[in-house]
Amino acid sequence: MALIVAKFGGTSVASPERINGVADRLIRLREEGNQVVAVVSAMGKTTDDLLALAAAVNDAPPARELDRLLSTGEQISMTLLALALEQKGYKSISYTGRQAGIQTNGIHNKAKIVKIHNERIERALDAGFIPVVAGFQGIDENGDMTTLGRGGSDTTAVAVAWGIGADVCEIYSDVDGVYTTDPRIAPRAKKLESVSYDEMLELSSAGSGVLQMRAVEFAKKWNVKIHARSAFSDAAGTIIREETPMEQAVITGIAHDTSEMKVTIRHVPDTTGVAAKVFTALSENMVNMDMIIQNTSLDGATDISFTCPEADLARAVSAIESVLPEIGASGWDVDEDIAKVSLVGTGMKSSPGVSATAFRTMSENDINILAISTSPIRLSMVIEADEVARAVQVLHTAFELDSDSIFEETQLSAEEIAAKMEKGR
Ligand code: ADP
Ligand code: ASP
Ligand code: MG
């Protein structure tokens, strides 16, 4: 008998039929002798639809109001799941983030969990209920609703699992585990049996949407075991846990991210303190910079480029405009048609040839690299957005990650890949 937190993403609760399916699975876990707490995301694309509704009436919706609105999505699915469980003869009780005792800081739209009071969940379990918790939401110290950033239900699940001392946090989605790369764009991706917290952290932060980065961060810090698995089959998925000495692969996985843009500030005088002014203004405007590139100086001036989420565009513009006159740059431009491809693996630490192989592969395939950054276990390259699927596929092959199984006949056309990536956004 185990204590299990089971989180179901948007696709898994997209319709009444699927909610019934989730209820059946929870009942099965219970009948097998486990205690179970469910965490749910909003149904299907509800969060996107709510964002579109807000945008239809306000160009720049205040973050607090947006959180109020977005938090309604998970409240629908949690209630429907509790109703479905009751219909099937099981006692269930649904909780909003506040009722589940999920306390966050006050940073609306990307709040961090600071405390969790799990007494209500534990009492409900003791009384034989299947508690259902709304993912993605919490309450700040003013009593205002907050949300945890896109994909944040994963973090709710890990936090609840830690709070109640669960044996495992099971994350159910439309894919049956963590693959060597996004199976949507690389049909030869292989399912991984296990991934270390550090690798998963790099994969998530490099854009692999399968688990929210914060969830992995939280799990690593508090040693919560995650099992990423399919909502639609019983196949074992991928375990995310501490690294084991057995892990030898040079590259564990490849992530891609098309949600960033590249900003270049042109002809910046190459004098002390200029970069400090630019990047202070950007951080004061809460722009999340990723890569920073300063070209070598020509005639006492240089170009400074950085990448950041496209969502930070307005804030980046106001930061740059505020320092431009002061630093004497000639101008700036934004390129939104970029993508980042990242190779991740702890084995990289002891394998010096990774960058050479990666750069050679890109050059042999005529893919231009616009920027590069590295960490001990990650190599990221910025490229043109329309090359991203091909880049992932050729790197996947070059690093011998391709599965032997015969997915070849399902090789996707460029249009199919584009359609799938659009769906994945
Ligand atoms: P949910 O809505 O259940 O939270 P997500 O859409 O957030 O599910 O995550 C699952 C999706 O993550 C998959 O459909 C898959 O396309 C994508 N994905 C990206 N990278 C990977 C990877 N390395 N392994 C598995 N899935 C991945
Ligand atoms: N519903 C939220 C989102 O779409 C949270 C989640 O699904 O994890 O981002
Ligand atoms: Mg998700």
Side-chain angles (χ1 to χ4, degrees):
M1 149 152 177
L3 177 54
I4 298 171
V5 170
K7 178 256 166 176
F8 295 87
T11 333
S12 322
V13 292
S15 62
E17 294 72 30
R18 292 206 175 157
I19 288 177
N20 270 320
V22 167
D24 289 339
R25 184 178 284 265
L26 293 168
I27 289 168
R28 189 140 50 88
L29 288 171
R30 258 283 286 272
E31 292 303 322
E32 287 164 5
N34 305 294
Q35 275 195 306
V36 55
V37 178
V39 174
V40 286
S41 293
M43 293 172 74
K45 296 251 171 266
T46 302
T47 308
D48 291 330
D49 295 344
L50 292 171
L51 282 168
L53 275 176
V57 294
N58 191 315
D59 304 333
R64 178 193 179 277
E65 298 311 314
L66 209 51
D67 275 352
R68 273 251 46 123
L69 181 69
L70 296 186
S71 63
T72 61
E74 271 69 12
Q75 293 177 29
I76 295 172
S77 49
M78 74 177 198
T79 320
L80 290 175
L81 180 56
L83 290 176
L85 285 162
E86 288 280 338
Q87 173 72 35
K88 291 172 190 286
Y90 286 77
K91 291 195 288 183
S92 178
I93 180 163
S94 61
Y95 295 123
T96 62
R98 159 182 259 166
Q99 292 168 330
I102 295 171
Q103 210 181 311
T104 72
N105 63 17
I107 303 180
H108 285 286
N109 305 168
K110 42 182 165 188
K112 263 193 167 165
I113 297 178
V114 292
K115 235 184 235 163
I116 157 151
H117 308 276
N118 42 273
E119 298 80 8
R120 278 188 92 168
I121 299 176
E122 286 182 332
R123 277 204 305 272
L125 278 173
D126 289 345
F129 285 81
I130 299 179
V132 181
V133 178
F136 180 51
Q137 57 181 263
I139 196 93
D140 71 9
E141 58 181 10
N142 299 323
D144 284 327
M145 285 282 199
T146 53
T147 62
L148 310 178
R150 297 307 303 269
S153 301
D154 295 342
T155 304
T156 306
V158 172
V160 169
W162 171 75
I164 63 171
D167 297 294
V168 60
C169 178
E170 301 198 321
I171 308 261
Y172 291 85
S173 74
D174 60 359
V175 62
D176 59 358
V178 178
Y179 277 67
T180 46
T181 194
D182 189 341
R184 266 192 208 139
I185 66 163
R188 286 185 156 262
K190 255 189 312 213
K191 186 163 81 182
L192 297 162
E193 228 170 83
S194 71
V195 184
S196 70
Y197 290 126
D198 286 333
E199 288 171 322
M200 197 62 234
L201 214 47
E202 293 280 6
L203 285 169
S204 293
S205 78
S208 159
V210 62
L211 289 173
Q212 200 204 29
M213 187 180 78
R214 287 253 179 94
V216 186
E217 241 168 22
F218 197 110
K220 174 179 157 67
K221 184 164 177 198
W222 301 104
N223 207 15
V224 177
K225 182 166 107 180
I226 298 179
H227 184 182
R229 57 188 308 187
S230 167
F232 308 118
S233 90
D234 286 338
T238 304
I239 304 289
I240 293 100
R241 52 153 172 70
E242 278 309 340
E243 187 179 342
T244 64
M246 291 296 286
E247 286 169 65
Q248 291 302 344
V250 178
I251 300 299
T252 302
I254 303 177
H256 70 276
D257 188 350
T258 51
S259 69
E260 292 198 349
M261 61 183 192
K262 180 157 75 74
V263 181
T264 303
I265 309 176
R266 303 243 172 253
H267 218 71
V268 183
D270 194 5
T271 50
T272 319
V274 169
K277 281 189 188 125
V278 172
F279 292 108
T280 304
L282 287 163
S283 68
E284 280 172 358
N285 279 268
M286 311 269 283
V287 176
N288 274 316
M289 284 150 296
D290 182 13
M291 295 188 193
I292 297 174
I293 312 115
Q294 178 164 342
N295 293 341
T296 41
S297 154
L298 275 179
D299 310 327
T302 177
D303 288 351
I304 296 180
S305 301
F306 64 90
T307 60
C308 69
E310 283 170 10
D312 290 356
L313 176 61
R315 278 177 278 120
V317 170
S318 77
I320 294 169
E321 298 271 296
S322 73
V323 290
L324 213 57
E326 200 186 334
I327 60 174
S330 70
W332 57 279
D333 56 66
V334 174
D335 182 358
E336 290 185 81
D337 294 327
I338 59 146
K340 186 173 68 177
V341 178
S342 304
L343 302 168
V344 172
T346 36
M348 234 186 245
K349 284 190 259 190
S350 48
S351 307
V354 171
S355 348
T357 307
F359 302 155
R360 196 179 52 245
T361 306
M362 299 295 256
S363 111
E364 282 169 4
N365 287 281
D366 269 333
I367 302 172
N368 192 22
I369 305 172
L370 307 173
I372 298 162
S373 79
T374 58
S375 86
I377 65 164
R378 178 182 47 78
L379 168 69
S380 297
M381 293 167 279
V382 172
I383 58 172
E384 306 286 349
D386 56 6
E387 305 272 39
V388 66
R390 202 160 61 84
V392 168
Q393 289 163 357
V394 295
L395 289 166
H396 199 265
T397 304
F399 284 94
E400 298 175 358
L401 295 171
D402 284 356
S403 146
D404 297 332
S405 61
I406 33 75
F407 281 121
E408 259 163 326
E409 69 268 24
T410 65
Q411 282 287 0
L412 304 173
S413 70
E415 293 75 39
E416 283 167 329
I417 287 169
K420 279 173 183 272
M421 290 183 61
E422 195 50 42
K423 176 188 161 240
R425 282 197 143 187

